[in-house]
Amino acid sequence: MYSRKPFYLIVAALFLVGLALMLHRHFVYEVPWLPGEKRQIWSVEAKVEFEADGRPVKASLAIPGSQPGFTLMNESAASPGYGLSFVQSEDGGSRAEWSIRSASGHQELYYKVDMMLDPFAKGPLGNVPPQVTTVEVAEPYATAMDQVLTLAEERSSDGITLTRELLKELGSGGQNAELLAQYKQSGPLLVDMLHRAGVPARLLKGLQLEDGRRRQRLVDVVQVFDGERYDIFNPATGEQGRLENLLLWEYHSAPVLDLVGASNSRVSFSMLEQEQPVNVALAKKFDQPDWINVSLYNLPLEEQALFKGILLIPIGVLAVVFLRIIVGVKTSGTFMPVLIAMAFIQTSLLTGLVGFLLIVGTGLVLRSYLSHLNLLLVARISAVIIMVIGMIGFFSIIAYQLGLTEGMKITFFPMIILAWTIERMSVLWEEEGPKEVIKQGGGSLVVAVMAFLAMNNELIRHLTFNFLGLQLIVMAAVLLLGNYTGYRLTELKRFKPLVDELKHD
């Protein structure tokens, strides 16, 4: 007996490979399962102002890169008359450097960056603890630091809990806290105290993003390490953890602005939130196509539009296979309903149904006359094709004259398929009678409508275009349906008398 094991192995392989490709597209390339999703894009503009006195000027501004929570999309700068370069500093950070031979008076330089809010983003936020450098502190501040550290260390177990307790002490309003507040700002003070306790920490500069805000300043945050893990603290508020919508602007313990040849400098920030469709945002994020990133977005737009329609055909085929094999609906032609459903997508369902019935009905009347001429098959089919083209042109003109612009869309119907449909129905009428014609013609329309509803679904269109692995899953389903040899649902009515007899018994 022939083993079915290889068949089921093939089906399982198709399903698993297709599912793996879809999961890869979702988790690696972040393609969403549902259509219509958008991504938040923050446009941030840094404005650098200073006073130049006629000497050569060099301005170096720290700039952000992709980091946990944010992906850099675009960056640009406006600096008339200045040379501009984007460079990597020795500590690994990125900087924008402007230079000019001579400048005088008030100067303004602009840097703009678009950052996408991205939960999948990764970046060079330093995971390596910095070296601990103890700073010499004069009295009475040194004594105050030691006393606060002693109290905090008694209630802590590691560097992160020590930071938490230090912030509580510094915010308690005690005598030592008030004295230390006069010594340094909260951010540098916290880093100095942690280094004094031997805990690795660094000072970062972050920007709290709020839509429509102007002339904002960077805020201090402290990155505290405990072995390989770290946490972020806001020394001004005492909050632990990275705040929502906090963009780290400088995270290598370097100055935000390094200016040579000018004075009275300041940097301010303006920001604006906007949304972009997810496909546009991801196309910018993954602008270097990987060989394994099988995406139709890499094709020209004309080919993309073509494939959007072609990739829907397997969904229609699956609907036809299910309705014919499982339900038992009879159709005129095997996959003619799929092509009719494709035409419905172009014309709209109501217009397509009316156009189909008009063309096929008129074609059957004309074909009945041709049957009396005893023409050969090739000539008869050719004559029907010419008649179909003439009918489509005639109905389009009538629709246009009546102002029914929707009626002109019947030109999208597949003319050859319509001609063969008319021919098959005419022969069927002669051999089986009108009842069979109505049964198969009505079945074809029902299947075409069901295929249209499946193919025209927004979720289906999104999945077929963005997840090519779905085609393998559809193929596996078709193979499984093709292996079904049981009763069709429409055949179960034959058992109705038996059911009635059992009820009477």
Side-chain angles (χ1 to χ4, degrees), residues 205-330:
K205 297 288 186 178
L207 182 65
Q208 189 63 46
L209 300 176
E210 296 182 53
D211 188 26
R213 299 300 297 270
R214 300 172 62 246
R215 298 187 177 277
Q216 299 300 295
R217 301 285 184 175
L218 297 177
V219 298
D220 290 340
V221 291
V222 176
Q223 184 183 23
V224 182
F225 290 85
D226 180 44
E228 295 183 354
R229 71 186 185 102
Y230 69 86
D231 210 339
I232 291 177
F233 292 84
N234 186 331
T237 63
E239 292 181 89
Q240 180 180 356
R242 188 167 177 175
L243 298 177
E244 186 179 3
N245 290 344
L246 178 68
L247 172 65
L248 295 179
W249 193 271
E250 200 294 311
Y251 36 86
H252 294 89
S253 300
V256 175
L257 178 64
D258 190 2
L259 184 64
V260 178
S263 59
N264 297 329
S265 63
R266 68 169 184 168
V267 184
S268 59
F269 299 85
S270 302
M271 61 208 73
L272 187 66
E273 181 187 12
Q274 54 186 337
E275 289 186 335
Q276 283 188 355
V278 68
N279 61 320
V280 176
L282 294 180
K284 292 180 180 178
K285 179 178 178 179
F286 301 107
D287 57 350
Q288 299 296 327
D290 192 348
W291 70 270
I292 205 168
N293 180 19
V294 183
S295 172
L296 294 174
Y297 289 107
N298 298 332
L299 297 177
L301 290 178
E302 184 176 355
E303 279 70 22
Q304 289 187 36
L306 176 64
F307 273 101
K308 275 190 176 181
I310 291 176
L311 292 174
L312 292 173
I313 293 178
I315 303 299
V317 168
L318 179 61
V320 171
V321 171
F322 177 80
L323 290 171
R324 290 198 55 162
I325 294 178
I326 304 299
V327 180
V329 179
K330 290 186 176 181

Side-chain angles (χ1 to χ4, degrees), residues 53-295:
D53 54 9
R55 294 181 296 166
V57 175
K58 180 181 177 181
S60 177
L61 176 70
I63 57 178
S66 295
Q67 56 189 269
F70 293 92
T71 294
L72 189 149
M73 307 294 288
N74 294 305
E75 59 181 349
S76 59
S79 50
Y82 282 79
L84 172 65
S85 296
F86 295 102
V87 299
Q88 293 290 324
S89 59
E90 295 180 358
D91 55 22
S94 298
R95 302 188 73 88
E97 287 192 355
W98 291 272
S99 58
I100 193 171
R101 178 63 61 181
S102 177
S104 299
H106 184 73
Q107 303 289 305
E108 293 181 355
L109 307 175
Y110 294 90
Y111 169 80
K112 181 176 179 293
V113 64
D114 292 334
M115 304 292 291
M116 179 175 70
L117 202 62
D118 186 359
F120 298 94
K122 300 177 181 179
L125 181 59
N127 295 327
V128 179
Q131 291 185 349
V132 176
T133 56
T134 304
V135 179
E136 292 294 330
V137 181
E139 293 293 351
Y141 304 112
T143 302
M145 280 187 180
D146 291 336
Q147 291 178 357
V148 172
L149 278 170
T150 301
L151 292 173
E153 285 175 340
E154 292 175 354
R155 298 193 297 267
S156 64
S157 59
D158 53 35
I160 292 177
T161 55
L162 174 62
T163 306
R164 194 160 54 221
E165 296 303 321
L166 277 176
L167 289 172
K168 290 179 182 178
E169 288 294 327
L170 293 174
S172 64
Q175 185 177 0
N176 287 329
E178 291 181 357
L179 179 62
L180 292 174
Q182 301 172 10
Y183 172 63
K184 272 187 178 181
Q185 292 183 346
S186 57
L189 174 63
L190 180 60
V191 173
D192 287 351
M193 294 183 70
L194 289 170
H195 283 191
R196 195 174 183 88
V199 176
R202 63 162 61 96
L203 185 67
L204 314 179
K205 297 288 186 178
L207 182 65
Q208 189 63 46
L209 300 176
E210 296 182 53
D211 188 26
R213 299 300 297 270
R214 300 172 62 246
R215 298 187 177 277
Q216 299 300 295
R217 301 285 184 175
L218 297 177
V219 298
D220 290 340
V221 291
V222 176
Q223 184 183 23
V224 182
F225 290 85
D226 180 44
E228 295 183 354
R229 71 186 185 102
Y230 69 86
D231 210 339
I232 291 177
F233 292 84
N234 186 331
T237 63
E239 292 181 89
Q240 180 180 356
R242 188 167 177 175
L243 298 177
E244 186 179 3
N245 290 344
L246 178 68
L247 172 65
L248 295 179
W249 193 271
E250 200 294 311
Y251 36 86
H252 294 89
S253 300
V256 175
L257 178 64
D258 190 2
L259 184 64
V260 178
S263 59
N264 297 329
S265 63
R266 68 169 184 168
V267 184
S268 59
F269 299 85
S270 302
M271 61 208 73
L272 187 66
E273 181 187 12
Q274 54 186 337
E275 289 186 335
Q276 283 188 355
V278 68
N279 61 320
V280 176
L282 294 180
K284 292 180 180 178
K285 179 178 178 179
F286 301 107
D287 57 350
Q288 299 296 327
D290 192 348
W291 70 270
I292 205 168
N293 180 19
V294 183
S295 172

